[in-house]
Structures are given as structure tokens and as C-alpha cells.
Amino acid sequence: MSTPKRNRRAGVEDLWRDLKKPRPLLDDDGTQLLNDDGTPQTTPKPKLYGKGKRWRARYVDDDSNERTQRFERKVDAQKWLDDIVASQVTGNYVDPVRGKITFASFYNEWSSRQVWVPGTVKAMNLATGSVTFSTVAMADLRPSHLETWVKAMQDKPLEPGTIKTRFNNVRSVLRAAKRDKVLGEDPSERITLPRRRRADAAMVIPTAQQVGALVVEADIEFDAFVGLCAFAGLRLGEAAALQVGDIDFMRREINVERQVQRSNGHAVEIRAPKYGSERTIPVPDGLLKLLALHIEHWRHESDEPTRWMFPGEGKHPMHQNSVGYRWRRIRKAIGADHLHLHHLRHFYASGLIAAGCDVVTVQRALGHSSATVTLNTYSHLWPDADDKTRKAADALFKSSTESTAYPLRTESTE
């Protein structure tokens, strides 16, 4: 049975009360009580009389614990108490004991309870380990601490995208602290971050000729891998974790159900795709033929549906290192050292958009967590209102001029 919570109460009391006019002590019938020497008995002095500060403010916190603070003046005690009560009402209350914990100590305590994959653990540790306020008490954190840290990252220098990622990871810690009543106001609000370059200026999209050359240059053990990234938009880890049974040749579909990750740079792990992006992707006939040839090449290994499409060492599939080695070799062979394997995913997305696919269709094909993520990444590839207006007007122009019996004048009548 749970312990009932104490009633919320608050007030200011005088610890030196009844000193100026001691009250007489009376018997039940109202008779004055006397001391042994015959002098009238009076109320005793408070135990705290003359000890410490006179006024004590007290209240009950969210965990039913009574908190107190003493002051020289009643007005100061009342103001402190009013601020506490207001913070409890607005949800900005900070536990005075818990608020003394440093940022680093709170993160260590909080992170130990989180259900994170190894990649998230690494990213969070990297971000929180880079802050310049790790020894500052949570209740003392100010926006200036965050601004100093952001400026230090910019001076290193770190890319704006890296700074934003680390900032958001640290912000998640601060928000957790606010929920736990360790932090009042979130100091990360309204912090200005370095501006990122426009997505269309930073994004690299391989040409169709480059993608074709990459597939041709790759050997029989890797050409299907390149095809999956370029013509199905799979991430590296998703393509590496593909099994024979994930390809449905009858329905012309691929089921993405897992990904390969390396923990601490060594151990190979198989787990759910990024952001829970399990999905089924329609596959073009050309890619299906490429995959069929690849399966035929490895048929001597096993015909089981759970066989890895791209076997690695031992029982494991290929992983980031083995894929990276093959990728660097073929891109060098075609003279495209600037291309990354992830750029093939941009190639796939741009092709879907150019073909007229809407944002939800592209989101589902790429396995993004939301349409917002897709738009933030690829919005510049969709035609804007001017492009649509121009195309519609062009269609009207052609239909009107082609149907008239009078051809357009091509030279002056003068």
C-alpha cells in the first residue's frame, strides 16, 4: 500500500514569538499557576530564541517532503515562499537538493536508465562529453553556458550540422532534468546555432552515367549491393543485412526488416532498421535480374531463405568496413572519389521526385520517420509553384496553338 501524500501547505512563522509579552499560564479553572517561589508562571521562551535567523518559511514539495529556509526579515521569507509556490503552480519548481547535482552527474544517472542502441550511446556520450559546463549545478545553468559551448564548437571548427546534432542531444538531457524537477527553465531555449548551408548546395547527387559505371565496375559479389542503394534507396546497414528470403520475386518487392551495425568498432550487431523504418519497397525489373544473378552466384553456399545476400566473415554479413573497402575501390576506378555510398540514396530519391512521386510515397520508400524529414532533406528537388504554373501554362499554350487553323506568325508583317 502506497504512503499517502502530505497535504500541500506553506507559510512563514516567527521562531522568536511571544517574547515581548509573555503570556501567563492558567489552570483549567482559569487560576494563575505559580512557580515554587510564588512568582507567576509564563509561557517559556521558544527553543530557537536568539539562535539563527528569526523567520522560517516552510512548504511541502512534490514528494511530500517538507522544505524550510530561514531569513532575517519576514518580507524576505514571504517573497522566497511566494516564488516557490508560483514555480509549483507553473511547473517550474526545482528540488533544492536535486538542483545541486552537476550536469555530468545528472547525465550519468539519467543515461543509465535509457533504452538506447549502441550508436545512440556513443552519440550521446560524445555530445555530453564536449560541453563546457559539466561541473555546473543544474539549478545554476544559464543560457550563457550553452552559448559559450556552442561558440567553442564553432571555433574548433565543427560543421554546423555536427553542432546542431550535439546541441539537440544535450537538449534532450536538459529536458529530462526539467521533467525530474532538477531544472526550472530550459536554458537551451532560443540559443542561436551556426547557419547551415542550403541543402541543394551541400547535397551530392550522382549522375545516371556515374551510377551505371559503378554497377559495371563492381564485381559479381558487390554489384547487387550498389544496385540496392541506387535503385531501392537502401542504407548501407539495410542492404548489408538483407537475406535471400527478404526478396519477393513474384510481387517484385523487397522487405527491409533489419540492419547491420558495428558496436564499438568491432562487434557486428543485427537489429531493427533506423527509426523503426521497416518497410516494403517496390523493385524495378532490372534490379530483380541483378539480384537473381547475385543469388545464383552464391547458390553453392546455401538455399535457405535466411542466408545473407552479402556474406562476410564467418556467420556474419558484410558490414561498414568490408563494404567501405569495396566502395572506395570502385569509385576510384571510375574517377569519382568524391562520391559516398549514401549519395546513391540521394540519386534514388531524386529519381522518384523527378518522376512525380508525392512526399508520402518518397518518405515510405526511403524509410523516413515522417514526411517532415523527407521535406527537410529533399524539398528543393520538388518543383515549386512557379514551375507548376509555367508547365500548366505551357500545356495550355500548346493545346491552343496546335488546335487552331492559323499557324503562329514567325516573322514580322511589316
Side-chain angles (χ1 to χ4, degrees):
M1 184 175 179
S2 61
T3 304
K5 287 193 172 184
R6 301 172 68 175
N7 292 329
R8 281 290 181 87
R9 61 182 182 276
V12 175
E13 58 182 332
D14 183 3
L15 300 179
W16 297 0
R17 63 189 178 279
D18 298 332
L19 294 182
K20 295 181 179 179
K21 296 180 179 181
R23 290 177 298 177
L25 289 178
L26 305 178
D27 200 352
D28 293 339
D29 59 359
T31 305
Q32 169 71 59
L33 295 176
L34 301 177
N35 295 314
D36 294 339
D37 59 1
T39 57
Q41 291 188 17
T42 59
T43 53
K45 292 181 179 181
K47 293 181 179 180
L48 295 178
Y49 170 64
K51 299 177 182 179
K53 299 175 181 178
R54 178 172 179 174
W55 300 95
R56 178 169 65 187
R58 58 201 306 172
Y59 70 94
V60 176
D61 67 14
D62 295 340
D63 297 322
S64 298
N65 298 315
E66 186 173 78
R67 304 290 188 185
T68 64
Q69 182 88 358
R70 294 178 66 174
F71 298 87
E72 295 284 358
R73 303 189 307 164
K74 182 179 180 179
V75 64
D76 296 331
Q78 191 63 55
K79 182 181 184 305
W80 178 83
L81 187 61
D82 291 343
D83 290 342
I84 291 292
V85 173
S87 69
Q88 289 179 323
V89 173
T90 60
N92 292 326
Y93 171 74
V94 177
D95 187 311
V97 176
R98 294 272 292 159
K100 296 178 181 178
I101 188 173
T102 65
F103 175 86
S105 297
F106 176 80
Y107 172 70
N108 291 334
E109 173 194 326
W110 173 74
S111 61
S112 66
R113 304 191 301 270
Q114 304 311 305
V115 184
W116 289 338
V117 297
T120 302
V121 173
K122 182 178 179 181
M124 290 297 295
N125 288 343
L126 182 63
T128 56
S130 70
V131 301
T132 54
F133 46 84
S134 60
T135 59
V136 177
M138 295 297 286
D140 295 334
L141 275 179
R142 300 292 181 267
S144 58
H145 291 106
L146 277 296
E147 291 168 344
T148 300
W149 171 52
V150 169
K151 186 63 168 61
M153 288 192 289
Q154 185 182 38
D155 292 343
K156 268 195 170 182
L158 296 180
E159 291 294 325
T162 302
I163 294 175
K164 182 177 181 180
T165 298
R166 292 192 183 184
F167 182 85
N168 287 337
N169 287 342
V170 169
R171 169 174 275 187
S172 67
V173 181
L174 299 177
R175 288 176 174 173
K178 193 173 188 300
R179 291 194 300 270
D180 277 0
K181 308 298 183 184
V182 179
L183 187 66
E185 295 290 340
D186 181 358
S188 65
E189 296 289 344
R190 297 182 293 278
I191 298 296
T192 302
L193 299 179
R195 296 184 62 179
R196 303 179 65 177
R197 292 183 297 170
R198 286 171 53 88
D200 52 352
M203 181 175 292
V204 175
I205 301 177
T207 65
Q209 292 75 15
Q210 288 174 323
V211 173
L214 289 167
V215 174
V216 171
E217 184 62 32
D219 55 32
I220 188 64
E221 297 179 359
F222 195 62
D223 56 359
F225 196 103
V226 176
L228 286 167
C229 297
F231 307 118
L234 268 63
R235 302 177 177 95
L236 186 157
E238 295 171 343
L242 209 63
Q243 296 178 350
V244 173
D246 295 329
I247 304 172
D248 190 332
F249 286 93
M250 295 295 294
R251 291 186 172 86
R252 300 190 297 168
E253 295 175 341
I254 290 177
N255 297 311
V256 180
E257 299 178 352
R258 68 194 74 79
Q259 67 170 332
V260 173
Q261 287 290 332
R262 283 173 62 83
S263 175
N264 299 323
H266 299 288
V268 176
E269 293 186 359
I270 309 297
R271 56 173 179 262
K274 186 177 182 181
Y275 304 131
S277 56
E278 294 91 345
R279 61 195 186 280
T280 299
I281 305 173
V283 183
D285 292 336
L287 179 56
L288 286 175
K289 293 178 181 178
L290 193 61
L291 294 172
L293 291 173
H294 181 83
I295 293 173
E296 183 65 29
H297 172 74
W298 289 102
R299 188 171 293 279
H300 64 281
E301 293 287 335
S302 170
D303 291 329
E304 292 294 326
T306 56
R307 172 166 65 85
W308 300 117
M309 282 288 293
F310 305 98
E313 297 179 357
K315 297 180 180 180
H316 296 299
M318 287 186 187
H319 50 72
Q320 282 80 353
N321 288 1
S322 51
V323 170
Y325 168 77
R326 290 173 171 82
W327 172 256
R328 288 188 294 272
R329 184 185 61 79
I330 64 171
R331 75 178 183 182
K332 182 178 181 180
I334 70 165
D337 287 345
H338 66 290
L339 291 180
H340 298 289
L341 187 66
H342 194 75
H343 292 159
L344 296 182
R345 187 168 159 85
H346 297 330
F347 173 79
Y348 175 70
S350 66
L352 297 183
I353 295 170
C357 294
D358 60 77
V359 63
V360 175
T361 300
V362 177
Q363 172 210 339
R364 291 173 177 171
L366 294 175
H368 284 158
S369 57
S370 67
T372 301
V373 175
T374 307
L375 285 172
N376 287 341
T377 308
Y378 298 109
S379 61
H380 61 284
L381 298 181
W382 264 283
D384 59 19
D386 289 344
D387 295 327
K388 293 179 179 179
T389 302
R390 190 176 295 109
K391 184 177 180 180
D394 186 57
L396 291 172
F397 183 87
K398 289 181 178 179
S399 63
S400 299
T401 56
E402 290 174 357
S403 62
T404 182
Y406 301 96
L408 290 176
R409 293 191 296 271
T410 58
E411 52 184 48
S412 175
T413 57
E414 293 181 1

